[in-house]
Amino acid sequence: IIYTTSQYYNTTDCMTHLFVKITNQMVAACKDYITDHGHKRIWDFPYAVVTLRIQNALRLYKEYDDGFQSMKTKSEKEFDFSEMYTFGKFVSFCKRLEKVRTSPSRL
C-alpha cells in the first residue's frame, strides 16, 4: 500500500531502501533474541533452547519472504526490487543458523 499511495516511497529505490532497513532490523532482532541481547553465546545455552530460537528465526524469515511474495503478486504496480539486495543479509544469516543448528560439535 505504501508503494502505490505514498509520495516519497513510490519509487523502486526508496522502497528497496526501506526493505533493506527492515531486513537489517529483523536480523539484529533475531541475533538479540538468540543471544539474550548479546549477554550469552549460543554455545552457553542448552541445545533445545538454541534449536528452538533458531527455528523461530528461520520461521520469521519464511513469513517475511512469503509476505513479500504475496504483496508482490497483489500489487498494482510492478515490483522491480532486487530481492538479493533486499533479503541477502537475512538469507546469509539463515544459512549460518542452519550450520549452527546442524553442527556436530553441538552433540
Side-chain angles (χ1 to χ4, degrees):
I1 192 163
I2 292 173
Y3 186 51
T4 57
T5 59
S6 173
Q7 292 179 1
Y8 178 75
Y9 287 108
N10 65 352
T11 65
T12 302
D13 290 340
C14 290
M15 284 301 293
T16 299
H17 187 66
L18 177 65
F19 276 113
V20 168
K21 282 185 169 187
I22 292 169
T23 301
N24 290 342
Q25 287 294 314
M26 292 175 83
V27 170
C30 286
K31 287 179 183 178
D32 284 346
Y33 170 67
I34 292 170
T35 63
D36 269 349
H37 300 281
H39 295 298
K40 292 184 179 178
R41 297 177 321 145
I42 58 171
W43 311 117
D44 298 336
F45 290 102
Y47 181 70
V49 172
V50 172
T51 302
L52 177 65
R53 290 180 180 195
I54 288 174
Q55 286 173 342
N56 289 339
L58 294 172
R59 190 175 321 123
L60 177 65
Y61 168 72
K62 181 168 178 4
E63 291 297 324
Y64 182 43
D65 187 50
D66 289 348
F68 178 83
Q69 297 302 329
S70 172
M71 181 181 59
K72 184 175 162 179
T73 58
K74 292 178 184 177
S75 176
E76 298 167 3
K77 285 178 130 182
E78 184 177 332
F79 269 39
D80 284 335
F81 308 136
S82 168
E83 290 184 39
M84 188 53 176
Y85 181 68
T86 304
F87 298 107
K89 188 173 183 178
F90 215 155
V91 169
S92 297
F93 179 67
C94 289
K95 286 179 183 178
R96 289 192 309 270
L97 289 178
E98 280 291 342
K99 286 181 182 180
V100 168
R101 188 172 67 144
T102 60
S103 174
S105 65
R106 291 288 307 174
L107 301 176

